[in-house]
Amino acid sequence: MELMNYTEKMLEYADMLYKFALQKTGDHYEAEELAQETFLVTLEALKNGKVIENMKAYLFKILNNRFYESIRKKYKIPTVSYLSMGDEEKAESEYDDTDFTDSGLFKTDEAQTIRRELAYLTKIYRDVMVRFYMHSKSVDEIAKDLNIPLGTVLSRLDTGRNKIKEGVAKMNNETYAKNSYEPEHLGIGINGSTGMRSEPFSTINNLLDQNVLIVAYEQPITVQEISEKMGIPAAYIEESVEKLVRNELMQKTGSKVYTDFLITTNEDAVKNIKAAQKFADDTFDNVKDIFKELFDEYRKYKIFDKFNDTQLYSYVVLLITQNSFDVIKSQLNLIEYDDFPTRPNGGKWIASGRRSPDGYKPQESLIPKYHVSGKYSSGDPCDGLELMEEWSTNIGKTHNANYEAHYINEQQRAEILYKIYKKKDLSAWQMESIPDLVRLNFLSDNGGEKEVIVPIISHNDCHTEIQSRLNEIQPRFNDKIRDKLIEATKNNIIKYPKHIKIIANGVFTGMFGVIPPAYLYKAAEQGVIEIKEDVNYPVMIMVEK
């Protein structure tokens, strides 16, 4: 057949080809481009001597291939071909007399559903399905590629097809569609020391990892089940799971995986706070004389002149309660640091986490008001200092303070304050931080003269005047609260899945950390101290070498 006759034959299908292209792309401009490209490719083939027996089938085959090629380039993902494209004559016969404009088989939305379900298959099924349906490989070739028996290939193809059918059916199910997964946020903390690459914190670096851990928390679950619950292809889930298992945040049991650390909820946190409030209500009157006694002793020392009464009282409450908790923890047979598991890259830790729904606003709840972080000690925070002790609470923010100029970590803040104390020059970057430090009550501004209002004490004063008086008073406090605290602790144990191997001490001691703020708010309620919402009362001490 001459080229002119071929061209006339092509034009007979122009309208039908354009409608098919529009059906696939959903865009008039893209449909015109795709149809024109199909004609150009066909003409080029004819010029090179190609003999086309079935023009209709050939045109639609070319358009179909070019469309999926554009999808691959656009999204950098594999596509699903519904027919195994073998030799051209076979393909032409398969397209012959097919009404492509009405065929549901090639509709774009269905193709996307099939591609989605293929992506949700786990690796052992995805490997054979992709090779067979997308790369047109034979069963023999797939068996050789994967080094598995022919029967296994056939079995996995059959299972894979069934899983895709099930997935498509679920997608069309109204109830299933309503049960879409809503991502949550998972904050991680540890008891112990991190690995050399900051494991486990560096392991959980995105929302995907966090939600994999949440979904696999209640019971062991397969990767494909995680994939279906989250609405994310199994390939991504597999990569995340492998990393989390390798870094010992998840464990494998057969074909299933599970999260191997305690995850609490905001409801658990609120329960702890309410238990701490009740404990403070029941015991504050019994121990407030002990707090006052140590407060009065420390107020005599010149080293605490920098603290106002609220800061010094906070320091006393935090010191006494923390030391008491350490004693009581030992009586609860909790895991000591030496018994913590050794983790990858030299870590030695037990993790715990708290989940929060997307859009959750902690500032609107009780939780931030009862936050305590510390006691924080840092060896050699800067030249001239031996260590720095900090307690960050809602009342007095230190390392959790909100800096407006730029973020300052504890070492940077210590260096700025110590340079001002020693009257040394600051860099431009350090100068920019001064307004924040004044606003947060680390510095005072008297007519332009900046003065450090953080106690800076000697090594000797730290260990004689502070620690010796604390050691004298501490046993009396322990005697007054020990039994009540142990009882309250046992009544407030957090529930957790029994498959978790090592449980963080927080299961038993979750309320410990929020008792100090409960005591402080109780003291403010009784007029012992003053707490103004717009004032920061940092509790920080720097010790010179």
Side-chain angles (χ1 to χ4, degrees):
M1 186 182 292
E2 295 181 358
L3 183 61
M4 181 64 71
N5 294 332
Y6 273 123
T7 304
E8 291 176 358
K9 192 72 173 173
M10 288 167 56
L11 292 175
E12 290 179 19
Y13 302 109
D15 187 54
M16 187 184 296
L17 195 70
Y18 169 75
K19 288 181 180 178
F20 182 42
L22 181 59
Q23 196 173 53
K24 297 189 80 64
T25 63
D27 181 89
H28 289 284
Y29 177 77
E30 290 184 15
E32 289 178 3
E33 290 285 312
L34 186 58
Q36 289 175 12
E37 186 177 358
T38 300
F39 282 130
L40 290 173
V41 170
T42 304
L43 285 172
E44 185 67 24
L46 291 169
K47 287 179 182 179
N48 292 331
K50 171 69 180 175
V51 176
I52 302 175
E53 298 294 337
N54 187 328
M55 179 60 71
K56 177 182 174 182
Y58 190 87
L59 287 170
F60 281 102
K61 173 195 164 186
I62 294 298
L63 187 145
N64 204 53
N65 288 346
R66 303 300 286 190
F67 171 73
Y68 284 119
E69 178 63 27
S70 70
I71 291 291
R72 272 192 290 272
K73 290 178 179 178
K74 184 176 182 180
Y75 297 106
K76 296 182 180 179
I77 58 174
T79 61
V80 174
S81 174
Y82 293 88
L83 299 173
S84 297
M85 298 298 180
D87 57 89
E88 291 172 351
E89 287 74 18
K90 179 182 178 183
E92 289 167 13
S93 67
E94 287 173 335
Y95 281 95
D96 192 23
D97 296 327
T98 301
D99 183 359
F100 289 96
T101 60
D102 295 330
S103 173
L105 184 65
F106 290 90
K107 288 181 180 178
T108 303
D109 55 353
E110 185 173 348
Q112 290 173 341
T113 301
I114 297 295
R115 286 198 302 274
R116 175 190 181 280
E117 292 304 320
L118 179 58
Y120 281 58
L121 293 178
T122 49
K123 183 174 176 59
I124 61 170
Y125 301 116
R126 195 172 65 247
D127 280 348
V128 294
M129 295 287 284
V130 168
R131 283 171 169 80
F132 188 80
Y133 286 102
M134 295 164 60
H135 301 312
S136 303
K137 289 197 171 187
S138 68
V139 173
D140 285 338
E141 290 174 318
I142 296 172
K144 290 177 181 177
D145 284 351
L146 300 178
N147 194 27
I148 57 177
L150 289 174
T152 302
V153 175
L154 292 170
S155 174
R156 291 180 183 179
L157 282 172
D158 184 58
T159 302
R161 281 190 290 263
N162 288 334
K163 285 181 178 291
I164 285 180
K165 289 177 184 177
E166 291 171 5
V168 172
K170 285 181 181 178
M171 286 291 290
N172 294 328
N173 183 289
E174 185 177 352
T175 302
Y176 179 83
K178 288 179 180 177
N179 292 334
S180 58
Y181 184 78
E182 296 182 5
E184 297 184 71
H185 297 270
L186 181 65
I188 297 292
I190 66 166
N191 292 120
S193 55
T194 62
M196 62 186 297
R197 295 191 180 95
S198 298
E199 293 91 351
F201 301 110
S202 58
T203 302
I204 311 170
N205 49 23
N206 56 54
L207 200 58
L208 173 63
D209 295 334
Q210 294 173 25
N211 282 271
V212 167
L213 291 166
I214 291 171
V215 170
Y217 178 65
E218 294 295 341
Q219 61 186 19
I221 188 173
T222 67
V223 169
Q224 186 160 349
E225 287 171 333
I226 297 174
S227 172
E228 291 171 355
K229 278 181 175 288
M230 292 180 61
I232 296 174
Y236 298 103
I237 301 298
E238 287 165 345
E239 183 179 11
S240 176
V241 166
E242 287 173 6
K243 176 181 65 173
L244 294 169
V245 169
R246 186 170 60 249
N247 286 277
E248 300 185 9
L249 289 162
M250 298 188 85
Q251 295 287 337
K252 282 187 175 180
T253 173
S255 63
K256 298 182 177 183
V257 294
Y258 62 88
T259 300
D260 194 26
F261 62 89
L262 174 72
I263 294 179
T264 60
T265 64
N266 292 316
E267 289 74 22
D268 292 323
V270 171
K271 180 185 173 186
N272 283 332
I273 289 169
K274 290 184 176 179
Q277 289 174 326
K278 184 178 185 309
F279 184 82
D281 287 341
D282 293 342
T283 62
F284 181 72
D285 286 341
N286 294 331
V287 297
K288 65 181 181 181
D289 288 344
I290 296 175
F291 292 147
K292 187 176 186 306
E293 182 179 343
L294 188 60
F295 173 87
D296 290 341
E297 287 292 325
Y298 283 176
R299 181 49 79 202
K300 297 175 185 176
Y301 302 149
K302 185 173 178 57
I303 57 176
F304 288 118
D305 285 350
K306 302 293 186 181
F307 274 163
N308 61 37
D309 286 351
T310 300
Q311 287 172 290
L312 184 57
Y313 195 88
S314 298
Y315 183 55
V316 164
V317 169
L318 288 161
L319 274 183
I320 291 178
T321 53
Q322 183 61 46
N323 279 274
S324 179
F325 296 161
D326 288 342
V327 172
I328 292 169
K329 285 177 183 179
S330 66
Q331 298 179 12
L332 291 171
N333 296 319
L334 302 180
I335 302 175
E336 298 294 336
Y337 177 77
D338 290 343
D339 297 322
F340 286 6
T342 300
R343 305 291 190 171
N345 286 324
K348 195 176 180 69
W349 47 262
I350 300 175
S352 60
R354 183 191 298 165
R355 58 191 286 189
S356 298
D358 191 35
Y360 172 74
K361 298 179 179 179
Q363 66 272 19
E364 296 177 1
S365 74
L366 277 175
I367 296 172
K369 187 177 179 181
Y370 284 82
H371 169 80
V372 176
S373 178
K375 179 172 65 173
Y376 186 92
S377 295
S378 175
D380 297 324
C382 72
D383 185 35
L385 290 182
E386 176 181 295
L387 60 85
M388 179 171 59
E389 296 184 35
E390 296 184 89
W391 299 88
S392 196
T393 67
N394 182 62
I395 299 167
K397 300 176 179 66
T398 54
H399 47 284
N400 288 322
N402 178 28
Y403 296 97
E404 295 175 355
H406 41 66
Y407 174 73
I408 307 174
N409 64 34
E410 55 275 359
Q411 282 82 10
Q412 291 166 338
R413 183 177 59 253
E415 183 177 2
I416 295 170
L417 294 174
Y418 197 62
K419 276 187 173 181
I420 293 173
Y421 174 71
K422 288 292 187 179
K423 302 188 182 305
K424 293 183 177 180
D425 292 336
L426 300 178
S427 67
W429 181 88
Q430 291 170 332
M431 289 291 292
E432 291 174 359
S433 305
I434 286 179
D436 275 331
L437 295 173
V438 171
R439 175 177 59 85
L440 293 166
N441 284 332
F442 294 103
L443 287 173
S444 64
D445 188 356
N446 298 317
E449 184 72 21
K450 305 298 184 295
E451 181 182 354
V452 178
I453 50 178
V454 170
I456 300 175
I457 64 180
S458 70
H459 173 93
N460 184 63
D461 286 342
C462 177
H463 291 277
T464 55
E465 297 191 15
I466 295 179
Q467 195 62 45
S468 62
R469 291 299 296 130
L470 176 64
N471 292 341
E472 292 173 14
I473 289 175
Q474 188 72 57
R476 284 190 282 130
F477 180 84
N478 295 348
D479 290 341
K480 284 182 176 289
I481 71 159
R482 180 189 297 107
D483 293 342
K484 290 182 179 179
L485 184 55
I486 290 175
E487 181 183 0
T489 297
K490 290 179 178 179
N491 291 333
N492 202 53
I493 294 174
I494 297 172
K495 295 181 180 179
Y496 61 92
K498 298 305 179 185
H499 55 256
I500 298 179
K501 293 179 179 178
I502 302 173
I503 295 300
N505 292 338
V507 165
F508 308 99
T509 62
M511 63 175 274
F512 280 19
V514 290
I515 288 175
Y519 274 146
L520 291 175
Y521 292 128
K522 192 70 180 174
E525 179 186 312
Q526 294 189 7
V528 178
I529 58 173
E530 181 181 50
I531 299 175
K532 294 181 179 179
E533 290 187 5
D534 58 346
V535 176
N536 187 46
Y537 303 95
V539 176
M540 173 182 171
I541 292 176
M542 295 192 289
V543 181
E544 288 191 288
K545 291 180 180 177

